[in-house]
Short mmCIF file of all heavy atoms in Angstrom, two decimals:
data_model
loop_
_atom_site.label_atom_id
_atom_site.label_comp_id
_atom_site.label_asym_id
_atom_site.label_seq_id
_atom_site.Cartn_x
_atom_site.Cartn_y
_atom_site.Cartn_z
N SER O 98 4.65 -15.32 -20.79
CA SER O 98 3.66 -14.43 -21.37
C SER O 98 2.98 -15.11 -22.54
O SER O 98 3.60 -15.84 -23.29
CB SER O 98 4.32 -13.15 -21.85
OG SER O 98 3.42 -12.37 -22.59
N LYS O 99 1.69 -14.88 -22.71
CA LYS O 99 0.96 -15.48 -23.82
C LYS O 99 1.31 -14.85 -25.16
O LYS O 99 1.03 -15.41 -26.20
CB LYS O 99 -0.55 -15.40 -23.56
CG LYS O 99 -1.03 -16.35 -22.48
CD LYS O 99 -2.50 -16.16 -22.18
CE LYS O 99 -3.37 -16.54 -23.35
NZ LYS O 99 -4.81 -16.43 -23.03
N LEU O 100 1.88 -13.70 -25.16
CA LEU O 100 2.34 -13.05 -26.39
C LEU O 100 1.25 -13.04 -27.46
O LEU O 100 1.37 -13.69 -28.50
CB LEU O 100 3.61 -13.73 -26.90
CG LEU O 100 4.80 -13.64 -25.95
CD1 LEU O 100 5.99 -14.36 -26.53
CD2 LEU O 100 5.15 -12.20 -25.65
N THR O 101 0.20 -12.32 -27.18
CA THR O 101 -0.95 -12.24 -28.08
C THR O 101 -0.75 -11.13 -29.09
O THR O 101 -0.41 -10.00 -28.73
CB THR O 101 -2.23 -11.99 -27.28
OG1 THR O 101 -2.38 -13.05 -26.32
CG2 THR O 101 -3.44 -11.97 -28.19
N PHE O 102 -0.98 -11.47 -30.38
CA PHE O 102 -0.89 -10.49 -31.46
C PHE O 102 -2.28 -9.98 -31.81
O PHE O 102 -3.25 -10.74 -31.81
CB PHE O 102 -0.30 -11.14 -32.72
CG PHE O 102 1.18 -11.35 -32.67
CD1 PHE O 102 1.74 -12.27 -31.82
CD2 PHE O 102 2.01 -10.62 -33.51
CE1 PHE O 102 3.11 -12.47 -31.79
CE2 PHE O 102 3.38 -10.80 -33.49
CZ PHE O 102 3.94 -11.73 -32.63
N GLY O 103 -2.37 -8.69 -32.13
CA GLY O 103 -3.61 -8.14 -32.67
C GLY O 103 -3.61 -8.26 -34.18
O GLY O 103 -2.90 -9.10 -34.74
N THR O 104 -4.38 -7.44 -34.85
CA THR O 104 -4.47 -7.50 -36.31
C THR O 104 -3.40 -6.68 -37.01
O THR O 104 -3.21 -6.79 -38.20
CB THR O 104 -5.84 -7.05 -36.81
OG1 THR O 104 -6.12 -5.76 -36.27
CG2 THR O 104 -6.93 -8.02 -36.34
N GLY O 105 -2.68 -5.85 -36.27
CA GLY O 105 -1.58 -5.11 -36.84
C GLY O 105 -1.99 -3.97 -37.76
O GLY O 105 -3.17 -3.73 -38.01
N THR O 106 -1.00 -3.26 -38.28
CA THR O 106 -1.19 -2.16 -39.24
C THR O 106 -0.56 -2.54 -40.56
O THR O 106 0.64 -2.85 -40.61
CB THR O 106 -0.54 -0.86 -38.73
OG1 THR O 106 -1.16 -0.44 -37.53
CG2 THR O 106 -0.65 0.24 -39.79
N ARG O 107 -1.35 -2.52 -41.60
CA ARG O 107 -0.81 -2.80 -42.95
C ARG O 107 -0.27 -1.50 -43.52
O ARG O 107 -1.02 -0.55 -43.74
CB ARG O 107 -1.90 -3.37 -43.85
CG ARG O 107 -1.41 -3.75 -45.24
CD ARG O 107 -2.49 -4.45 -46.06
NE ARG O 107 -2.94 -5.67 -45.41
CZ ARG O 107 -2.32 -6.84 -45.51
NH1 ARG O 107 -1.22 -6.94 -46.24
NH2 ARG O 107 -2.79 -7.89 -44.90
N LEU O 108 1.03 -1.47 -43.76
CA LEU O 108 1.68 -0.28 -44.30
C LEU O 108 1.85 -0.42 -45.81
O LEU O 108 2.45 -1.39 -46.28
CB LEU O 108 3.05 -0.07 -43.66
CG LEU O 108 3.89 1.08 -44.23
CD1 LEU O 108 3.21 2.42 -43.97
CD2 LEU O 108 5.29 1.07 -43.66
N GLN O 109 1.31 0.54 -46.53
CA GLN O 109 1.51 0.59 -47.98
C GLN O 109 2.49 1.71 -48.29
O GLN O 109 2.35 2.83 -47.76
CB GLN O 109 0.18 0.86 -48.69
CG GLN O 109 -0.80 -0.30 -48.58
CD GLN O 109 -2.11 0.01 -49.30
OE1 GLN O 109 -2.84 0.90 -48.87
NE2 GLN O 109 -2.39 -0.71 -50.35
N VAL O 110 3.47 1.42 -49.11
CA VAL O 110 4.47 2.40 -49.51
C VAL O 110 4.38 2.60 -51.02
O VAL O 110 4.44 1.62 -51.78
CB VAL O 110 5.89 1.95 -49.13
CG1 VAL O 110 6.91 3.00 -49.55
CG2 VAL O 110 5.97 1.68 -47.63
#
Side-chain angles (χ1 to χ4, degrees):
Chain O
S98 171
K99 287 175 66 177
L100 298 179
T101 303
F102 283 69
T104 54
T106 297
R107 183 174 300 277
L108 175 65
Q109 292 180 293
V110 181

